[in-house]
Amino acid sequence: MKLNWTHGAALLACVAMSGCDLIGGGSKAPTGQVVATVNGEEITVTELNRELGGAAPADAQQRKAMEQAALESIITRKLIAQTAKEQKLDKTPAFAQQEMQAKEAMLVGAMQRKIAAAVASPSRVEAEKFVADHPHMFADRRVMVVDQIVVGKFTPALMKEFEPLTTLEQVEAVLGRQNLDFQRTTTVLDTLNAPEGLTDTLMKLPPGEIFIFPRGSAIFVNQIRESRSLPFTGERAVNYATAGLKQQRTQDAVARQVETLRKGADEKITYNDKYKPETPKPAAKPPAPPAPAGSPT
């Protein structure tokens, strides 16, 4: 009797836990929050939505297709990851280093989001003032089609040779004589998001004037082909200014936090002598001002 009771209890437990198949081998299809399994590893609705990245088309058929594509992408990724683990690729020093960097990057991102959440959003008055104070970005915004030559090597002597030139064809001829590599292209400059100093320069240029600016290790020789007014005003402009001010304030808050952390951690950081940063040299003492005429020395 005791044996029969134990067997019955096991059978009831099996049914209650839905962990056994009374008819035969095999497992039940995933239900509820589990959308699929890969070798027993579950894929949840939350994971699927994260893969979709917030995309939410109104059309049900289109959403179904997007979900299916995203799910297949997750399944493929998990299969590859599982195979990599079977081959112990996650036990290599290179993987450990990459894993650590990835975790640190995620923690940095989490910290930045926490700081951003504490930054107060700009008021409407502040946003409207920003719009009024930056007419080149908004009311006087211009979009320019620019012909451009990109040169990797540049010297003051070459700059001097460019000064009298009035066309990019003349610039190309000079570069050809110097046997310098260059690339000719066309780009669009929008004063809405161009650096403020560059915008001021562009707005003051005579028509057809060549202008040059460096970026990284390259030099860009430019000539405006077309310029048209495209005012950016109203509610959209205020919303854009609000977002921009919030982003700038967040960046400033993050920079202050980093500076505070660095200052507070000076005693906790030790360097290998080979990699120790150089001690900043003290600023030179300014010369004493000359004594006023007639004053005692």
Side-chain angles (χ1 to χ4, degrees):
M1 295 295 293
K2 185 175 181 181
L3 179 61
N4 290 337
W5 181 87
T6 303
H7 179 75
L11 180 62
L12 288 173
C14 180
V15 173
M17 293 166 57
S18 299
C20 304
D21 190 335
L22 299 184
I23 300 177
S27 59
K28 294 183 178 179
T31 58
Q33 293 296 306
V34 179
V35 296
T37 62
V38 183
N39 290 330
E41 185 177 351
E42 294 181 346
I43 300 173
T44 64
V45 172
T46 301
E47 189 174 357
L48 178 61
N49 288 334
R50 188 164 57 243
E51 187 78 9
L52 288 167
D59 181 80
Q61 188 174 0
Q62 185 181 5
R63 177 171 178 82
K64 177 66 177 176
M66 290 179 65
E67 286 179 342
Q68 197 64 48
L71 181 56
E72 292 304 316
S73 177
I74 297 173
I75 289 172
T76 300
R77 187 168 64 241
K78 288 191 180 296
L79 284 171
I80 295 172
Q82 290 170 1
T83 303
K85 284 184 178 180
E86 290 171 3
Q87 297 179 12
K88 301 189 182 304
L89 299 183
D90 58 332
K91 305 300 181 184
T92 63
F95 180 87
Q97 184 72 23
Q98 292 171 347
E99 185 178 38
M100 180 184 69
Q101 291 174 341
K103 285 183 178 179
E104 288 176 348
M106 291 171 64
L107 287 169
V108 169
M111 189 68 179
Q112 289 175 336
R113 288 190 293 273
K114 180 181 178 181
I115 294 172
V119 174
S121 294
S123 67
R124 183 178 183 87
V125 171
E126 290 172 319
E128 290 175 343
K129 184 177 185 304
F130 184 88
V131 171
D133 290 346
H134 297 80
H136 294 342
M137 293 178 63
F138 299 98
D140 299 334
R141 173 193 178 195
R142 300 194 72 80
V143 176
M144 305 173 185
V145 179
V146 180
D147 289 327
Q148 192 173 77
I149 292 176
V150 185
V151 189
K153 184 179 179 182
F154 204 74
T155 64
L158 192 60
M159 180 69 174
K160 191 73 176 175
E161 198 166 351
F162 281 166
E163 283 182 4
L165 305 184
T166 58
T167 69
L168 293 188
E169 287 69 27
Q170 292 171 339
V171 172
E172 286 181 323
V174 171
L175 294 173
R177 288 198 301 270
Q178 298 281 351
N179 291 320
L180 294 175
D181 291 332
F182 65 90
Q183 180 181 1
R184 179 139 183 188
T185 185
T186 300
T187 189
V188 175
L189 289 176
D190 188 337
T191 61
L192 174 66
N193 48 37
E196 194 164 348
L198 176 60
T199 297
D200 292 339
T201 299
L202 295 178
M203 301 298 280
K204 295 173 184 175
L205 283 176
E209 185 82 3
I210 288 178
F211 62 99
I212 302 172
F213 62 85
R215 184 185 297 167
S217 60
I219 296 293
F220 293 74
V221 185
N222 310 270
Q223 189 172 43
I224 298 174
R225 181 203 303 174
E226 176 188 341
S227 177
R228 61 191 179 97
S229 176
L230 194 64
F232 187 40
T233 58
E235 199 65 23
R236 290 175 60 243
V238 173
N239 291 339
Y240 184 91
T242 300
L245 286 170
K246 176 66 180 289
Q247 182 181 28
Q248 184 59 56
R249 291 180 182 180
T250 299
Q251 291 173 349
D252 292 343
V254 170
R256 288 193 299 270
Q257 182 70 32
V258 170
E259 185 179 4
T260 300
L261 288 172
R262 288 290 311 196
K263 287 181 178 178
D266 282 346
E267 296 180 357
K268 303 175 184 177
I269 301 172
T270 57
Y271 292 94
N272 178 323
D273 288 340
K274 185 178 177 181
Y275 298 94
K276 192 172 184 179
E278 294 183 5
T279 304
K281 296 179 180 180
K285 187 177 180 180
S295 298
T297 57

